[in-house]
Amino acid sequence: MPSDKDTLLSMGFDIARVEWALKATSNRGLQPAMDHILENQDKPIPDLTDVSALSSASATNNTRGPAAMDEDDEDTEALKAVYGSAGTADGSGMNVDVEAKIKPLTEEEKKQKLEELRQKMAEKRSKKAEQDALDNKANELLRRKAARDMGSIKEELRAKEAIKEAEQKRKDKIADAKAKAAVKAQIEADRRERAEKAAREKALRQGNVQQEATPSTTPSSNPVTSTSGAASSKEYKETRLQIRLASGGQPYTTTLPSDSTLRQVAEFLAGQTLAVDVDTVSFAQHFPRKQFNQNDFTKTLKELGLTPSAVLIAS
């Protein structure tokens, strides 16, 4: 009986590839060896003394599933029908007695059998290519979904950053308005202080002239009046105000010179909150009940009777 090697050689396979296939498949039969030759026909023949290369190929063949083994069995039966029975395998994996002599194949039969095997391998490759295409499509869908999710995360971060930036601009605007109001209030305070100083110096000069013009023997009530007037003018130089918004919220407390105008109070409040406009705001006092409008903005706190302290409602 011809051996598997002789049978493969008679089919026209190269001897080196036949020996490689038999060693790689551990001489498990004609069909596994032929499958190995067809699957690796485009690969270079390794060194047959390299155990690792052979064992890797053998492991690949041994891990095929039941379906693949069934196909091998069918192919083996087909080969038996052409070449004769190859017998069965014992526990050692070696072929045993032959049931019939192998019938030699003609060249036409060899070509036909090889063509059938090549078609079967082509079908396997086609199925594998289709599966690879499906896997690539699934991977592409996952990649696109991940890209969309990343885009959504970036868009959300940009929106949060825009909100944060707008909030910071609003805070900067409020801080800038407060700083401007504080500078303006300081300028007004300095101006009033200079005016009061000039008025005191002028009154002192006029008082000296009047004292020189008055006879010393005549009892005069003017100095007493002047003194009482001066004492009266010194009273309540500052006014403590508590300002509440009609819309509610925390009240604002400040202390201003009693000569400050109601407009300066409005400017102070506008510097504390952007909800107040100096040109449209109005004030009211609940006790005693009074209503102040824009015409009262030029009057001082002393003239409006708000000294030494008052509670105003801004609206």
Side-chain angles (χ1 to χ4, degrees):
M1 179 199 69
S3 63
D4 292 344
K5 178 178 181 181
D6 294 336
T7 303
L8 292 171
L9 291 175
S10 67
M11 294 175 68
F13 292 119
D14 182 70
I15 185 172
R17 292 193 176 274
V18 171
E19 291 178 350
W20 177 25
L22 292 173
K23 287 188 177 182
T25 58
S26 302
N27 291 306
R28 288 190 295 107
L30 183 61
Q31 183 60 43
M34 186 177 294
D35 287 343
H36 182 277
I37 293 174
L38 294 176
E39 290 175 359
N40 299 277
Q41 59 183 346
D42 298 328
K43 298 180 181 179
I45 301 173
D47 185 3
L48 298 182
T49 61
D50 187 353
V51 179
S52 62
L54 295 176
S55 62
S56 174
S58 177
T60 303
N61 292 326
N62 290 335
T63 55
R64 294 178 299 173
M69 296 302 293
D70 292 341
E71 292 178 2
D72 291 345
D73 293 341
E74 292 176 2
D75 295 340
T76 302
E77 292 299 327
L79 288 174
K80 285 180 181 179
V82 178
Y83 297 114
S85 175
T88 57
D90 58 12
S92 62
M94 300 297 294
N95 292 333
V96 294
D97 298 333
V98 235
E99 297 176 355
K101 292 183 179 180
I102 298 177
K103 180 182 177 181
L105 292 176
T106 63
E107 291 297 326
E108 186 64 26
E109 290 173 335
K110 290 179 183 179
K111 291 181 181 180
Q112 182 179 358
K113 187 61 180 176
L114 286 174
E115 184 62 27
E116 291 176 357
L117 294 175
R118 288 193 179 98
Q119 288 179 359
K120 183 176 290 187
M121 292 302 301
E123 290 177 0
K124 290 181 179 179
R125 291 194 183 103
S126 176
K127 290 181 180 179
K128 186 176 184 302
E130 291 177 359
Q131 186 61 41
D132 291 342
L134 291 175
D135 292 341
N136 292 335
K137 185 176 180 180
N139 292 335
E140 179 65 16
L141 291 175
L142 290 175
R143 186 191 65 78
R144 291 181 180 179
K145 183 178 183 302
R148 287 195 300 270
D149 293 342
M150 182 60 66
S152 300
I153 292 174
K154 290 182 178 179
E155 186 65 26
E156 184 178 354
L157 290 176
R158 282 195 292 267
K160 289 182 178 179
E161 189 66 25
I163 294 174
K164 184 178 179 181
E165 184 177 353
E167 180 65 18
Q168 185 61 42
K169 286 183 178 180
R170 188 186 70 83
K171 291 181 179 180
D172 292 342
K173 186 176 180 181
I174 293 175
D176 186 57
K178 289 182 178 180
K180 289 181 179 179
V183 171
K184 188 174 182 180
Q186 185 63 42
I187 292 174
E188 290 294 328
D190 294 341
R191 182 184 62 78
R192 288 192 300 272
E193 185 178 354
R194 289 193 299 269
E196 290 175 358
K197 182 178 180 181
R200 287 196 299 270
E201 292 177 351
K202 182 178 180 181
L204 183 60
R205 289 194 300 271
Q206 290 177 351
N208 291 339
V209 172
Q210 184 177 2
Q211 185 176 2
E212 291 176 357
T214 303
S216 58
T217 57
T218 306
S220 176
S221 60
N222 287 338
V224 177
T225 304
S226 177
T227 303
S228 61
S232 176
S233 64
K234 289 182 180 180
E235 292 179 354
Y236 311 129
K237 288 186 176 182
E238 293 182 343
T239 301
R240 180 176 177 81
L241 296 175
Q242 184 182 90
I243 308 171
R244 300 178 181 176
L245 298 179
S247 58
Q250 185 177 0
Y252 299 93
T253 303
T254 184
T255 301
L256 297 175
S258 299
D259 292 335
S260 301
T261 62
L262 192 59
R263 182 178 182 82
Q264 291 172 340
V265 177
E267 291 173 352
F268 161 77
L269 186 59
Q272 303 301 313
T273 173
L274 296 179
V276 172
D277 188 348
V278 176
D279 296 327
T280 59
V281 67
S282 62
F283 295 99
Q285 188 178 18
H286 286 176
F287 184 80
R289 183 173 296 276
K290 292 181 181 179
Q291 184 71 33
F292 308 104
N293 52 34
Q294 290 288 330
N295 295 330
D296 298 319
F297 273 33
T298 58
K299 298 179 181 180
T300 65
L301 302 178
K302 184 186 300 183
E303 293 172 344
L304 295 173
L306 298 177
T307 57
S309 63
V311 177
L312 296 178
I313 308 301
S315 60

